[in-house]
């Protein structure tokens, strides 16, 4: 446990940061002791990323200061932060795919001899680092040839490669398996024992309580609490994060109708083999599994985003072929993608245009769009889904994550789909909007829609799904219904090899 | 009002100025330039001179309408210069042998559209990037026009019915300008009022999301290049008529002038944003600057420098504004939204 | 050595094409394989190769430079006019410096004013051409009696011309820079993942300035060599050089998306185009077929390359 009198290695005082029109951080204080693991938690948009970017020298704060080893410091750029002994492992991949593992580890710190890059030494040193972390990757491989998890580990190795006093980890376990996570957490602990200080950013509270000495919670750019980990419970932290206690709901009774969508022997990418299912009207079918288990591929294949081969695909009893998203939309199948930014948003377009894009051809007369119809339909859905925007002509990028997600949902609803494919429908969405989306799904299903749900949050299945199929390495390991759907039972199936 | 809502409010006000500049900035600059020139530049206010300015704006202008659509969709076409030369040359050949202006118009425009179609097919079906496809096509088409002309002798033809299109007027308004405005209206209508136009914007702002949303991406891109061909063909016909002649060496660097005009007009090179109004204004601005410099007896060489400077200045404004906002520090552009992508966009072009 | 072979193997397809086309041309036009003609071919290849090598670095960093043609002609004219004052050697050096300064301005506009490279260098192209026109008043500059200047394009040793030495020398230098210097690795890192590079502390602005200065210098060298061939410099020199230079780089196998570069490929790309042009000449094919060949080659090469990832690329990310 941390000694209160231990020296403060990194201090943050009165940190405030503005983005155009948004206050990302407000007068935040934070300190980090030597050899401490200090967890920084908060919801998306709470200001964690901004704070890390300031500590990393990527951003310069609007006001407030950093104190390193007792003396106030400003970082003009990431090099300054590195020189001060701060190493940051960013959440999104920061690797250069065309370069080798060793080069990525030593980028901007390449060992040189007579001004030339010393490849032999670089590869050797990289091997040492990887060995120390028990990571089995050849440092000479190019990063683009690695798996996602290997890339994540490379990222971590880079953060640890030089003798940093402070290591900042931003959601380091997002792509890792259970075993790799345990391995990483033990590395973090041993680093702390060696006297390295760690800022551990995560929203997985289970992990946080496993490693952290202290926990700081941010909400809306403001520091809510800083407590010793031993003095708070998980519920306290959640309360601080969301401002109220979470309601752990269960799925309401679902009234199932006839089979709407029937899939026989779906094969995708040589990975999903002979997947079959029947989806009923009024049903929420969950497809679960750990990252890379294949649940997401099934959904993408059903929407025509992946090449697939299927023995029989019927919708309302009649056979259909789906080769691309257009086919799917014409068959009244809707899709809400998991990566909203990459696959969902049309960022420069207005709320109205984002909703109407899928039905724009139905709105035309001769060959022009009938503006009144478009206005009317989009307004209907904006009101129905309670999208908060200043006007439907507002650019979608200026909306909060939750409202953006509602717009994407509205797009599918405007298409009048009967089957809705939802992939991570509440990713990057704040708690309030989350609850709204859940009750929206409930009411859609009540009115006869069929939903296939894929999520990495097990709670979401418990709350929404009346039936869950759990995938592991491309195969369905089991099916759970009703009260059988618990976190434990789902985890047990998901980790079965 | 919640905190989030307040933030959104403030944010949109902030963006308002950007949008205003993006939409009306160049149009305002043109108006100011005209007002200043009207009072201070001798002979500018002469109606014949002003009519001449708007006539000059049309030749790049028609092609720029098509290019605006292409750039909004996130691609561009480097082959329009060569296409211009080939189709104008063929058009003059036809009119000088058959004496049918209608046939000449058809040939000019159809040849240009055919080249556009080939571009579109290569980009979508073979999967070569637009930059390389249209760069390669520019070499091929330029070579073709030299081959057809057997070495580059221009064709001449000066029957009145033909040269009227480039040199004539209707109620004193130059014919090319009338055609330019018709093209611009057509372009505006396509972009703003048709599903196709909506697809153009969607592909430009996020191609993957557009595909997921059911936009027929490939078909739209093919059509975009055909439309670029159409408008380039119209420019080709007007220029051929204006000059009474066309050779394979016609208007070198035309493609870059067209792209420059579109970008100066506020259309974002990365796609997703832009307007025809801006393009019209930018074409007028170029023509006006050229005219003013002429009237001030600046030589043609100074004009080139001035044109480049204007383009650079107009496009630096956003960057300078950003810098002032961030107190001189460099910023990485992906910070404002929390990224949740776990895959590389990378790979080969 | 092993790495060298790997690099070589990567661009093997173009090696085979070069050899095959060389043999075919040799069969069709026996004069093609004579020493004088081959040196001629290589000299012409070197002209584009020199600026193409600079362009390779720019493209590897995810940028490109449309102002090289204008810079080439500008540097040629400046250098010519300095000869009476500074003498030949110094005025050649001055020309290179002028090119580097123009390039540096490009780099500054891109990094400091945040104008995309495409637009920045496009504007600079117009501006620099305009300056050259003003400077020369639109007239040709001659160097009467200054045959010393011919050293840039003349034969050096064993009948091999200076441009060939320049091209090979610069290729070796850039190959080394790319592999063994931090500057070189940082170019690739920027092209591969710009935000990763800058977050890792790579001084992206400095690297950009360096890249564009180098491109400017190589453009200037090409411009002066072209001018020295006929001892004439003017503002119309090297029009279209920017597109030829990019074509050579792409043909050589450097990806337009950045992050990767092949110096040898660029040399071979230039050689291939020069060979075909020369061969067509020897076969009495009119000179205007040359542009067509360059375009067709480029599209053909890319089309073949694309066949591998055909499905995915045509679905999602087929465009630049």
């Amino acid at each position: 446990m941390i000694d209160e009198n231990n020296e403060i290695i990194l201090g943050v005082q009165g940190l405030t940061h503005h983005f155009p029109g948004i206050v990302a951080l407000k007068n935040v204080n934070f300190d980090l002791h030597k050899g401490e693991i200090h967890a920084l938690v908060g919801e998306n948009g709470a200001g964690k990323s901004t704070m890390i970017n300031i500590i990393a020298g990527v951003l310069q704060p609007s006001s407030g200061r950093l104190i390193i080893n007792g003396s106030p410091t400003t970082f003009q750029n990431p090099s300054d932060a590195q020189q001060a002994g701060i190493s940051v492992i960013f959440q999104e991949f920061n690797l250069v795919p065309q370069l080798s593992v060793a080069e990525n580890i030593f980028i901007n710190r390449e060992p040189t001899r007579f001004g030339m890059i010393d490849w032999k030494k670089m590869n050797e040193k990289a091997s040492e680092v990887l060995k120390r972390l028990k990571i089995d990757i050849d440092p000479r491989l190019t990063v683009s040839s690695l798996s996602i998890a290997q890339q994540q580990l490379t990222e971590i190795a880079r953060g640890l490669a030089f003798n940093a006093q402070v290591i900042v980890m931003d959601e380091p376990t997002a792509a890792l398996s259970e075993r790799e996570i345990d391995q990483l957490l033990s590395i973090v602990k041993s680093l702390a024992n060696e006297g390295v200080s760690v800022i551990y950013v995560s929203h997985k509270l289970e992990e946080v309580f496993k490693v952290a000495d202290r926990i700081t919670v941010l909400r809306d750019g403001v520091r809510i609490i800083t407590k010793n980990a031993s003095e708070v419970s998980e519920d306290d932290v959640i309360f601080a994060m969301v401002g109220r206690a979470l309601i752990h709901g269960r799925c309401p009774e679902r009234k199932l109708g006839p089979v709407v969508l029937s899939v026989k022997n779906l094969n995708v990418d040589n990975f999903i083999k002979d997947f079959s299912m029947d989806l009923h009207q009024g049903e929420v079918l969950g497809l679960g599994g750990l990252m890379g288990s294949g649940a997401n591929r099934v959904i993408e294949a059903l929407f025509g985003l992946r090449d697939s081969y299927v023995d029989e695909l019927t919708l309302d009893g009649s056979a259909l072929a789906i080769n691309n998203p257009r086919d799917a939309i014409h068959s009244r199948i809707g899709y809400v993608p998991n990566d909203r930014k990459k696959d969902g948003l049309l960022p420069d377009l207005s709320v109205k245009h984002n909703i109407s894009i899928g039905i724009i051809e139905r709105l035309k007369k001769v060959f022009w769009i009938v503006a009144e119809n478009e206005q009317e339909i989009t307004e209907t859905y904006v009101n129905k889904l309670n999208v908060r925007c200043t006007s439907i002509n507002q650019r979608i990028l200026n909306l909060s994550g939750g409202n953006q997600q509602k717009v994407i949902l509205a797009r599918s609803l405007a298409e009048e789909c009967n089957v809705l494919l939802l992939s991570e429908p509440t990713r990057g969405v704040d708690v309030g909007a989350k609850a709204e989306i859940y009750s929206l799904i409930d009411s859609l299903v009540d009115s006869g829609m069929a939903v296939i749900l894929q999520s990495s949050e097990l709670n979401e299945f418990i709350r929404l799904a009346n039936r869950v199929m759990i995938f592991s390495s491309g195969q369905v390991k089991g099916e759970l219904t009703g009260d059988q759907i618990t976190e434990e039972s789902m985890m047990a199936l998901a980790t079965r090899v | 009002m919640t905190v989030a809502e307040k933030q959104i409010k403030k944010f949109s006000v902030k963006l308002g100025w950007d949008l205003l500049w993006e939409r009306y900035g160049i149009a305002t600059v043109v108006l100011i330039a005209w007002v200043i020139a009207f009072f201070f530049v001798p002979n500018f206010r002469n109606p014949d001179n002003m009519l001449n300015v708007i006539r000059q704006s049309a030749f790049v202008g028609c092609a720029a309408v098509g290019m605006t659509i292409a750039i909004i969709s996130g691609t561009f076409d480097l082959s329009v210069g060569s296409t211009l030369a080939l189709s104008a040359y063929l058009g003059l050949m036809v009119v000088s042998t058959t004496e049918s202006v209608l046939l000449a118009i058809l040939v000019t425009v159809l040849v240009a559209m055919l080249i556009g179609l080939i571009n579109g097919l290569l980009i979508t079906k073979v999967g070569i990037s637009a930059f390389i496809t249209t760069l390669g096509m520019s070499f091929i088409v330029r070579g073709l026009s030299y081959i057809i002309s057997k070495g580059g002798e221009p064709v001449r033809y000066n029957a009145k019915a033909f040269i009227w299109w480039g040199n004539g007027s209707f109620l004193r308004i130059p014919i090319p300008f009338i055609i330019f405005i018709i093209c611009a209206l057509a372009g505006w209508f396509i972009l703003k009022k048709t599903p196709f136009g909506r697809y153009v914007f969607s592909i430009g702002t996020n191609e993957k999301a557009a595909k997921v949303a059911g936009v027929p991406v490939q078909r739209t891109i093919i059509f975009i290049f055909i439309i670029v061909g159409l408008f380039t063909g119209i420019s080709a016909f007007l220029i051929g008529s204006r000059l009474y002649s066309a050779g394979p060496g016609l208007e070198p660097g035309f493609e870059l002038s067209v792209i420059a005009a579109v970008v100066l007009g506020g259309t974002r090179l990365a796609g997703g944003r832009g307007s025809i109004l801006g393009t019209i204004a930018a074409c007028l601005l170029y023509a006006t600057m050229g005219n003013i410099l002429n009237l001030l007896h600046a030589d043609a060489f100074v004009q080139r420098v001035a044109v480049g400077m204007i383009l650079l200045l107009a496009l630096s404004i956003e960057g300078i504004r950003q810098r002032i906002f961030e107190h001189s520090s460099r910023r990485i552009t992906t910070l404002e939204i929390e990224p949740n992508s776990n895959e590389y966009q990378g790979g080969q072009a | 050595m092993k790495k060298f072979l790997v690099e070589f193997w990567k661009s093997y397809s173009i090696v085979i094409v070069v050899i095959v086309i060389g043999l075919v041309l040799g069969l069709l036009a026996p004069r093609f394989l004579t020493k004088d003609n081959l040196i001629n071919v290589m000299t012409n290849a070197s002209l584009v190769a020199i600026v193409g090598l600079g362009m390779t670095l720019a493209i590897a960093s995810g940028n490109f430079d449309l102002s090289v043609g204008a810079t080439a002609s500008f540097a040629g004219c400046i250098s010519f006019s300095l000869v009476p004052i500074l003498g030949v050697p110094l005025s050649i050096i001055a020309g290179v410096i002028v090119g580097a300064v123009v390039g540096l301005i490009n780099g500054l506009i891109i990094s400091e004013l945040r104008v995309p490279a495409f637009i920045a260098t496009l504007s600079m192209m117009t501006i620099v051409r305009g300056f050259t026109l003003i400077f020369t008043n639109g007239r040709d500059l001659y160097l009467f009696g200054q045959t010393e200047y011919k050293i840039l394009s003349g034969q050096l040793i064993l009948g091999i011309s200076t441009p060939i030495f320049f091209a090979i020398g610069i290729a070796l230098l850039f190959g080394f820079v790319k592999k063994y210097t931090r500057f070189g690795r940082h170019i690739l890192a920027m092209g591969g993942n710009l935000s990763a590079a800058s977050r890792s502390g790579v001084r992206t602005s400095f690297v950009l300035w360096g890249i564009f200065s180098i491109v400017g210098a190589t453009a200037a060298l090409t411009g002066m060599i072209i001018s020295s061939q006929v001892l004439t410099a003017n503002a119309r020199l090297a029009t279209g050089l920017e597109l030829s230079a990019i074509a050579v780089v792409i043909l050589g196998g450097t990806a337009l998306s950045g992050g990767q570069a092949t110096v040898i490929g660029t040399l071979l790309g230039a050689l291939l185009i020069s060979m075909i042009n020369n061969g067509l000449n020897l076969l009495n094919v009119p000179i205007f077929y040359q542009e067509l060949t360059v375009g067709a080659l480029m599209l053909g090469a890319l089309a073949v390359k694309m066949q591998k990832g055909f499905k995915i690329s045509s679905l999602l990310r087929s465009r630049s």
Side-chain angles (χ1 to χ4, degrees):
Chain A
M1 190 77 312
I2 202 82
D3 172 8
E4 283 297 328
N5 300 320
N6 208 338
E7 68 176 297
I8 292 175
I9 200 156
L10 170 80
V12 167
Q13 288 184 352
L15 205 59
T16 299
H17 191 79
H18 304 271
F19 282 119
I22 291 175
V23 185
L25 286 178
K26 261 178 290 192
N27 199 21
V28 171
N29 296 319
F30 179 85
D31 55 50
L32 182 67
H33 297 269
K34 191 169 167 48
E36 177 191 31
I37 302 173
H38 194 151
L40 188 60
V41 297
E43 291 196 287
N44 283 317
K48 295 172 296 180
S49 293
T50 310
M51 186 153 147
I52 294 167
N53 278 311
I54 290 170
I55 293 173
V58 175
L59 288 173
Q60 282 69 40
S62 309
S63 63
R65 55 185 189 165
L66 296 175
I67 296 161
I68 309 283
N69 290 326
S71 51
T73 317
T74 48
F75 295 148
Q76 289 304 321
N77 52 49
S79 282
D80 289 353
Q82 282 183 10
Q83 257 140 40
I86 295 174
S87 168
V88 181
I89 299 163
F90 284 102
Q91 176 185 6
E92 70 267 48
F93 287 113
N94 264 288
L95 302 173
V96 182
Q98 291 92 341
L99 300 185
S100 74
V101 171
E103 270 189 281
N104 269 289
I105 291 176
F106 287 101
I107 187 167
N108 206 34
R109 303 192 298 264
E110 299 89 347
T112 53
R113 205 172 51 172
F114 312 123
M116 285 161 41
I117 288 177
D118 189 343
W119 284 92
K120 203 169 150 229
K121 194 169 163 199
M122 183 152 81
N123 287 332
E124 278 168 7
K125 280 171 78 177
S127 291
E128 278 171 33
V129 174
L130 292 168
K131 212 173 278 166
R132 182 170 143 218
L133 300 180
K134 302 187 187 75
I135 299 169
D136 184 27
I137 302 174
D138 182 348
R140 285 167 302 184
L141 288 176
T142 36
V143 163
S144 55
S145 66
L146 302 181
S147 72
I148 298 281
Q150 283 176 319
Q151 291 179 8
Q152 181 99 33
L153 291 169
T154 305
E155 184 94 15
I156 290 162
R158 173 165 72 180
L160 306 179
F162 73 134
N163 299 319
Q165 296 183 66
V166 175
I167 293 174
V168 184
M169 296 180 150
D170 189 2
E171 307 275 5
T173 58
L176 301 189
S177 71
E178 199 95 333
R179 196 177 57 82
E180 289 161 329
I181 291 174
D182 285 340
Q183 188 184 331
L184 177 77
L185 295 184
S186 71
I187 292 166
V188 171
K189 276 187 182 158
S190 68
L191 283 169
N193 286 335
E194 290 167 25
V196 178
S197 312
V198 179
I199 301 178
Y200 193 90
V201 180
S202 180
H203 62 235
K204 293 187 187 164
L205 291 184
E206 198 189 327
E207 266 169 49
V208 166
F209 277 95
K210 270 187 196 161
V211 290
D213 299 315
R214 279 196 299 165
I215 298 175
T216 289
V217 179
L218 292 180
R219 186 171 82 223
D220 294 335
V222 180
R223 188 185 70 160
I224 305 296
I225 50 163
T226 298
K227 286 270 171 66
N228 283 336
S230 53
E231 293 164 14
V232 285
S233 70
E234 219 172 297
D235 284 345
D236 296 339
V237 174
I238 290 174
F239 187 81
M241 280 167 68
V242 303
R244 58 190 162 89
L246 256 190
I247 311 142
H248 297 283
R250 275 212 81 90
C251 158
E253 190 66 26
R254 306 265 187 228
K255 290 182 285 292
L256 303 194
V259 172
V260 189
L261 182 71
S262 165
V263 178
K264 262 201 199 95
N265 298 335
L266 176 75
N267 291 275
V268 190
D269 298 345
N270 256 329
F271 184 71
I272 305 285
K273 294 202 174 94
D274 295 334
F275 168 79
S276 301
M277 59 143 213
D278 286 321
L279 181 70
H280 295 260
Q281 200 180 33
E283 174 169 36
V284 177
L285 170 62
L287 300 184
L290 297 174
M291 191 159 167
S293 64
N296 196 31
R297 292 196 210 204
V298 170
I299 289 197
E300 287 181 351
L302 287 178
F303 195 64
L305 284 165
R306 280 181 185 272
D307 289 334
S308 60
Y309 175 77
V310 67
D311 280 350
E312 204 181 293
L313 183 63
T314 55
L315 187 70
D316 293 325
S318 51
L320 82 164
I322 293 174
N323 294 316
N324 56 48
R326 275 177 83 71
D327 293 347
I329 292 168
H330 282 306
S331 315
R332 313 260 165 182
I333 295 175
Y335 171 58
V336 174
N338 56 10
D339 192 338
R340 183 167 62 239
K341 193 178 148 203
K342 215 166 92 190
D343 301 340
L345 290 186
L346 301 170
D348 291 305
L349 270 50
S350 64
V351 170
K352 177 167 78 177
H353 293 178
N354 264 283
I355 293 177
S356 65
I357 186 71
I359 50 165
I360 199 75
E361 277 168 63
R362 295 182 213 161
L363 291 174
K364 73 178 177 188
K365 191 167 83 188
V366 193
F367 51 81
W368 59 85
I369 302 162
V370 182
E372 298 79 40
N373 289 359
E374 188 184 13
Q375 181 88 9
E376 199 186 306
I377 290 184
T378 42
E379 270 178 0
T380 312
Y381 284 101
V382 163
N383 291 334
K384 189 171 171 189
L385 272 69
N386 195 17
V387 178
R388 278 178 288 270
C389 52
T390 50
S391 113
I392 57 169
N393 294 316
Q394 194 182 7
R395 211 166 264 190
I396 192 168
L397 203 58
N398 301 344
L399 267 53
S400 70
N403 283 306
Q404 288 177 353
Q405 189 71 353
K406 286 190 218 162
V407 171
I408 305 292
L409 258 164
R411 182 190 292 164
S412 290
L413 301 187
E415 287 155 8
E416 295 172 343
C417 56
N418 302 323
V419 175
L420 191 54
L421 311 174
L422 298 174
S423 187
E424 307 285 359
T426 60
R427 183 188 273 189
V429 162
D430 59 65
V431 179
K434 212 176 214 177
E436 279 185 77
I437 289 173
Y438 289 163
S439 59
L440 177 76
I441 293 171
D442 283 340
S443 72
L444 289 173
V445 171
D446 270 348
S447 61
M449 194 181 280
V451 172
I452 298 182
L453 170 74
Q454 184 264 317
S455 177
S456 56
E457 287 184 41
L458 296 177
N459 281 329
E460 212 146 273
F461 291 128
I462 298 172
R463 168 67 184 78
L464 289 172
N466 55 289
R467 183 158 64 108
V468 179
M469 295 168 110
I470 302 288
F471 284 76
S472 174
S473 29
Q475 285 178 325
V476 177
K477 292 292 171 189
E479 196 175 314
L480 305 166
T481 52
D483 288 341
Q484 295 173 320
I485 305 173
T486 62
E487 281 199 39
E488 293 74 28
S489 61
M490 285 188 282
M491 266 332 270
L493 287 172
T495 50
R496 192 183 293 172
V497 185
Chain B
M1 202 187 287
T2 68
V3 179
E5 274 176 280
K6 270 184 208 151
Q7 285 169 350
I8 289 164
K9 270 263 167 64
K10 262 167 91 189
F11 198 48
S12 53
V13 170
K14 201 90 190 176
L15 271 177
W17 287 106
D18 292 12
L19 272 181
L20 281 179
W21 167 253
E22 193 182 294
R23 283 194 192 148
Y24 306 112
I26 292 298
T28 317
V29 171
V30 174
L31 280 180
I32 294 171
W34 277 59
V35 170
I36 293 175
F38 192 87
F39 290 109
F40 299 105
V41 179
N43 297 330
F44 183 84
R45 76 190 80 164
N46 179 343
D48 283 339
N49 181 61
M50 299 213 291
L51 290 171
N52 189 38
V53 171
I54 60 175
R55 183 192 299 277
Q56 286 306 322
S57 71
F59 301 107
V60 168
C62 293
V65 169
M67 190 69 85
T68 307
I69 297 174
I71 294 184
I72 288 175
S73 80
T75 64
F76 50 85
D77 187 343
L78 291 173
S79 71
V80 294
S82 306
T83 304
L84 181 93
L86 180 65
S87 59
Y89 181 82
L90 291 175
L92 262 125
M93 282 238 300
V94 167
V95 75
S96 62
T97 47
T98 66
E99 307 212 332
S100 159
V101 175
L102 181 70
L103 205 59
I105 295 178
L106 276 177
V107 167
T108 313
V109 170
L110 286 178
V111 166
M113 287 169 78
L114 178 69
I115 296 169
L117 171 68
I118 297 171
N119 277 328
L121 288 174
L122 282 171
I123 291 164
T124 54
K125 302 296 175 194
V126 186
I128 311 176
S129 77
F131 182 91
I132 295 173
T133 303
T134 58
L135 179 61
M137 279 303 275
S138 79
F139 283 102
I140 293 176
V141 173
R142 186 72 75 175
L144 263 181
S145 40
Y146 275 101
I147 292 168
I148 295 171
S149 68
K150 302 222 170 50
E153 267 311 297
V155 207
R156 281 169 218 290
Y157 184 73
N158 58 6
K160 208 161 170 261
F162 174 66
I163 63 170
W164 176 80
W165 291 91
N167 299 281
S169 302
F170 176 75
L171 300 173
R172 297 200 72 190
I173 302 170
I175 298 298
F177 187 70
I178 295 173
I179 294 176
F180 175 30
I181 293 305
I182 294 172
C183 288
L185 282 173
W188 172 83
F189 183 83
I190 291 172
L191 278 173
K192 292 291 181 185
K193 298 290 168 194
T194 66
F196 173 81
R198 205 58 69 69
Y199 293 159
V200 168
F201 277 98
S202 310
I203 294 172
T205 189
N206 185 346
E207 187 176 335
K208 176 80 192 296
K211 185 184 154 64
V212 171
V215 172
V217 175
Q218 297 208 1
R219 192 175 47 170
T220 307
I221 289 172
I222 294 172
F223 269 110
I224 289 168
F225 279 91
I226 294 175
I227 288 174
V228 171
L230 167 69
F231 287 111
T232 306
I234 295 171
S235 267
F237 177 76
L238 293 178
I239 290 177
S241 160
R242 171 76 172 161
L243 302 175
Y244 316 165
S245 79
L250 188 70
E251 297 280 328
F254 184 74
E255 60 278 359
L256 298 181
S257 309
V258 172
I259 293 174
V262 174
V263 175
L264 182 61
T267 298
R268 192 171 58 180
L269 201 57
R273 293 194 204 176
S275 72
I276 296 284
L277 177 67
T279 300
I280 301 174
C283 292
L284 281 170
L285 183 63
Y286 271 127
T288 309
M289 292 311 293
N291 183 263
I292 291 175
L293 290 166
N294 252 333
L295 293 173
L296 296 175
H297 305 290
D299 60 19
F301 312 153
V302 176
Q303 292 184 21
R304 295 188 65 138
V305 176
V307 163
M309 294 279 194
I310 294 172
L311 182 61
L312 206 51
L313 193 71
L315 295 168
S316 306
I317 287 173
E318 179 54 25
I320 294 168
R321 201 193 61 81
Q322 271 182 27
R323 282 191 80 85
I324 293 169
F325 180 78
E326 299 156 17
H327 346 259
S328 83
S329 58
R330 274 190 76 79
R331 186 181 61 127
I332 292 150
T333 47
T334 51
L335 288 171
E336 280 163 54
I337 314 145
E338 296 221 355
N340 43 17
S341 136
N342 284 332
E343 265 178 330
Y344 286 124
Q345 296 269 22
Q348 301 291 302
Chain C
M1 191 60 202
K2 194 178 148 203
K3 290 275 172 186
F4 176 80
L5 284 176
V6 171
E7 169 102 324
F8 206 80
W9 180 248
K10 261 191 205 162
S11 34
Y12 78 103
S13 47
I14 189 167
V15 176
I16 292 173
V17 174
V18 166
I19 292 171
V20 169
I21 290 186
L23 289 177
V24 171
L25 287 174
L27 284 176
L28 291 176
R31 220 155 57 82
F32 180 79
L33 287 178
T34 59
K35 183 189 166 200
D36 280 356
N37 189 58
L38 285 179
I39 286 178
N40 188 17
V41 167
M42 289 201 280
T43 307
N44 285 334
S46 306
L47 293 182
V48 190
I50 292 170
V51 61
L53 287 166
M55 192 69 83
T56 308
L57 297 187
I59 291 182
S61 76
N63 294 286
F64 46 88
D65 187 344
L66 293 175
S67 71
V68 291
T71 308
S73 124
F74 186 55
C77 292
I78 296 275
S79 163
F80 264 43
S81 65
L82 286 176
V83 170
I85 308 163
L86 298 176
V88 168
L90 279 182
S91 54
I92 290 174
I93 293 170
V96 173
I97 293 173
V98 164
V101 169
V102 173
L104 180 62
I105 295 172
N106 276 325
L108 285 167
I109 294 171
I110 295 164
S111 74
E112 300 309 299
L113 301 180
R114 296 180 189 172
V115 180
F118 184 90
I119 297 296
T121 58
L122 175 59
S123 320
M124 279 299 277
M125 169 176 122
T126 319
I127 294 171
V128 172
R129 280 264 183 228
F131 267 121
T132 318
L133 281 164
I134 296 170
F135 180 75
T136 60
N137 223 340
R139 286 192 285 267
D140 288 354
L141 302 178
Y142 302 102
L143 276 184
F144 292 115
Q146 291 285 352
T147 41
E148 248 187 281
Y149 206 94
K150 275 242 170 202
I151 184 87
L152 274 183
S153 56
Q155 300 191 337
L156 211 57
I157 333 164
L158 304 169
I160 299 170
S161 63
T162 322
I164 299 178
F165 283 106
F166 271 129
I168 294 175
I170 292 173
L172 288 175
L173 179 67
F174 284 7
F176 174 82
V177 165
K178 184 193 124 187
K179 182 72 199 179
Y180 289 106
T181 67
R182 301 180 68 187
F183 174 68
R185 301 319 286 178
H186 291 176
I187 290 176
L188 298 183
M190 275 174 66
N193 187 344
L194 182 60
S195 73
S198 69
R199 280 185 176 178
S200 312
V202 172
R203 306 275 174 117
T204 51
S205 305
F206 289 121
V207 179
L208 267 181
W209 302 341
I211 292 167
F212 278 91
S213 304
I214 290 172
V215 179
T218 55
L221 192 55
T222 297
M224 288 188 293
I225 293 171
I226 296 173
S227 311
S228 81
Q229 286 182 322
V230 280
L231 287 181
T232 311
N234 62 44
R236 291 175 305 282
L237 201 81
T239 34
L241 182 66
E242 50 281 345
L243 298 186
S244 317
I246 293 174
V248 164
V249 176
I250 301 293
L251 201 53
T254 297
L256 203 57
S257 53
Q260 164 261 326
T262 152
V263 167
I264 298 167
T266 301
L267 281 187
L268 290 171
L271 188 61
L272 183 60
I273 288 178
S274 170
M275 267 170 48
I276 291 177
N277 287 346
N278 177 275
L280 293 178
N281 237 336
L282 293 181
L283 297 172
N284 292 322
V285 178
I287 191 147
F288 33 80
Y289 276 85
Q290 293 184 358
E291 285 198 71
L292 187 123
T293 336
V294 174
L297 260 179
M298 218 164 84
L299 287 186
L302 266 292
V304 170
K305 196 168 154 189
M306 278 304 146
Q307 289 308 318
K308 292 179 206 157
F310 181 70
K311 198 92 192 194
I312 306 154
S313 60
S314 67
L315 280 178
L316 301 179
R317 41 174 110 97
S318 55
R319 299 173 316 114
S320 63

